[in-house]
Amino acid sequence: MIGQQLTRFASGKVRQSHEVLQLEEVLKSVLALRSRETQARGIALKPQLKSARIIVDGSLLFSLLNATLDWALANAHAHIDFTIDFKTWPVHARLTCRFGHRPVEPGLAGVAPAVPPRLDSLTWRLIEQTAWTMGLEVDRRDAAGVTTLVLEFPKTAGDE
C-alpha cells in the first residue's frame, strides 16, 4: 500500500483541494485517534503546540501526520516530542517531530553512533514524498541517537 501511495504521489497527478486548517487541531486529532497505540507501545507523546493556520489539502495533511506518527512510533525509544512554532522570516509554520531512536548507552557520550537503517524505511519515503507533493520543506537530522524532523509550511495563513 505504501508503494502504491509513493507511486501516486511521485506521478505528480494528485489533485489537491487546498483549505485553511488549524495545524495544531489536526495534529491533536491524529494523536487522540492513535493514543491507545502509543500507550500500548509505552511511548509518551509530548506536544507543545502553538496555533497555526495553514493552507493545504486536508486529506494529504492527515495522511502526512499519520505517516509521521507511524515512522516515529516504529523508531522511538521512550517519547516523541511534537512542536508547532513559526519561522520568523518569511513567516512559515513549522511542525517538529523529535525522538530518541535508541537508548543512550553509558560510556558512549560524544561518540557519533551510526544512524539505524530502519529510519530510512518506506514510511520515511512516504513522508518525504507526501511533503514534497504538498510543497512543504523537509529537514531531517539524525545525531547522537536523536532524530529531528522539521516540516515547514510555506502557505501559512497566520497565527491567532
Side-chain angles (χ1 to χ4, degrees):
M1 189 165 73
I2 291 175
Q4 289 174 338
Q5 288 177 305
L6 284 169
T7 301
R8 183 173 156 249
F9 292 147
S11 75
K13 296 179 182 176
V14 176
R15 299 186 98 210
Q16 297 185 52
S17 178
H18 292 95
E19 57 186 304
V20 178
L21 297 170
Q22 291 289 140
L23 177 56
E24 76 286 356
E25 293 301 323
V26 178
L27 179 59
K28 283 178 187 177
S29 71
V30 168
L31 297 179
L33 286 170
R34 309 277 305 271
S35 65
R36 284 188 181 153
E37 181 181 357
T38 58
Q39 290 171 358
R41 292 182 187 209
I43 302 292
L45 298 176
K46 298 181 179 180
Q48 294 181 332
L49 312 177
K50 290 186 177 179
S51 178
R53 293 175 45 210
I54 57 173
I55 303 168
V56 294
D57 180 282
S59 63
L60 285 179
L61 178 62
F62 190 76
S63 175
L64 176 65
L65 295 178
N66 270 292
T68 300
L69 187 56
D70 287 341
W71 177 69
L73 282 171
N75 293 290
H77 173 65
H79 62 85
I80 303 168
D81 299 330
F82 283 100
T83 306
I84 294 175
D85 63 5
F86 292 89
K87 178 176 150 183
T88 54
W89 186 254
V91 177
H92 291 167
R94 290 185 302 201
L95 170 65
T96 302
C97 174
R98 185 174 190 268
F99 57 88
H101 57 259
R102 67 174 181 79
V104 178
E105 296 176 27
L108 292 182
V111 175
V115 175
R118 69 180 184 269
L119 285 171
D120 291 324
S121 64
L122 273 179
T123 304
W124 166 248
R125 298 297 170 212
L126 179 61
I127 292 166
E128 279 185 317
Q129 192 62 58
T130 305
W132 293 336
T133 298
M134 295 172 70
L136 309 183
E137 294 181 33
V138 179
D139 180 30
R140 181 181 126 192
R141 298 177 194 262
D142 304 305
V146 175
T147 294
T148 304
L149 167 64
V150 179
L151 299 170
E152 188 174 314
F153 295 82
K155 294 181 181 178
T156 300
D159 61 321
E160 293 182 348

